[in-house]
Amino acid sequence: MAKFKLDEIDHQILDMLIDNTRVPFTDIAKKLVISAGTVHVRVKKMEEAGIIKGSSLTLDYKKLGYSFIAYVGVFLQKTSQTKFVLERINEIPFVTVAHVTTGKFNIFCKIRAKNTEHAKDVIFKLDDIEGVYRTETMISLEESINDKKRLMHSIFNEL
């Protein structure tokens, strides 16, 4: 399949959608002085090319009572158990991200919890998974940078 080529209009559409995934196509069209149909067609093409994969919602976890963040490195008894362990980790809803990694840990997870007691319960659930040798936890004091927009702008400048 040929590589999809983004032009400046596509970049501007993506910029607006990154800022607010719920912005109406008519608003985007007005700002870019193009038709809403053109926006729709371009977004559809970017979806078909796999550039846009759905949309997401940004939640304020503090307001929902889940302000505690920890990162948990998971050591496995055998790397052949990775798939099985990931399937068990996926059953724990408070593990929001899991990466298979090189280096010190086999799997690296991000967890969200209500407080330290809740985090301890989640970490113990990770420890109890068959195939997990041990875990190592780092508590996040503050999420200082979480900005997809900067990355997207850098990517656009390279294209």
Side-chain angles (χ1 to χ4, degrees):
M1 184 164 82
K3 185 178 176 183
F4 186 85
K5 187 78 172 147
L6 295 173
D7 65 14
E8 187 57 33
I9 298 289
D10 295 324
H11 292 178
Q12 291 175 355
I13 291 169
L14 287 171
D15 272 345
M16 289 182 218
L17 290 173
I18 288 166
D19 284 335
N20 178 4
T21 58
R22 297 177 57 169
V23 64
F25 288 175
T26 52
D27 291 0
I28 294 172
K30 286 176 190 172
K31 286 182 182 172
L32 299 180
V33 193
I34 58 177
S35 74
T38 298
V39 174
H40 178 77
V41 167
R42 284 173 175 259
V43 168
K44 186 79 173 153
K45 283 182 181 178
M46 288 187 276
E47 288 173 341
E48 289 169 356
I51 292 167
I52 296 176
K53 293 186 174 197
S55 60
S56 64
L57 194 61
T58 304
L59 298 175
D60 186 333
Y61 287 101
K62 284 183 183 178
K63 289 182 180 174
L64 295 171
Y66 287 83
S67 59
F68 190 93
I69 298 172
Y71 294 90
V72 182
V74 179
F75 296 87
L76 301 180
Q77 292 169 347
K78 297 178 188 171
T79 56
S80 61
Q81 297 169 305
T82 302
K83 184 178 181 207
F84 173 82
V85 171
L86 283 169
E87 288 169 353
R88 301 295 83 71
I89 289 171
N90 194 47
E91 295 170 1
I92 304 170
F94 306 105
V95 178
T96 59
V97 179
H99 294 271
V100 175
T101 60
T102 61
K104 188 174 181 178
F105 310 111
N106 299 98
I107 300 170
F108 198 68
C109 302
K110 178 180 181 180
I111 67 168
R112 283 209 175 262
K114 294 178 181 180
N115 51 41
T116 54
E117 185 72 22
H118 184 220
K120 181 184 78 167
D121 293 342
V122 174
I123 294 162
F124 284 4
K125 283 181 185 178
L126 288 168
D127 273 328
D128 287 342
I129 295 172
E130 183 183 331
V132 171
Y133 171 64
R134 72 181 185 92
T135 61
E136 189 173 304
T137 303
M138 291 146 277
I139 296 170
S140 172
L141 300 176
E142 172 185 20
E143 186 172 76
S144 304
I145 300 171
N146 184 352
D147 185 0
K148 294 179 256 181
K149 290 182 263 185
R150 291 182 314 126
L151 173 61
M152 294 307 301
H153 290 295
S154 294
I155 292 169
F156 294 162
N157 289 334
E158 292 176 5
L159 299 176

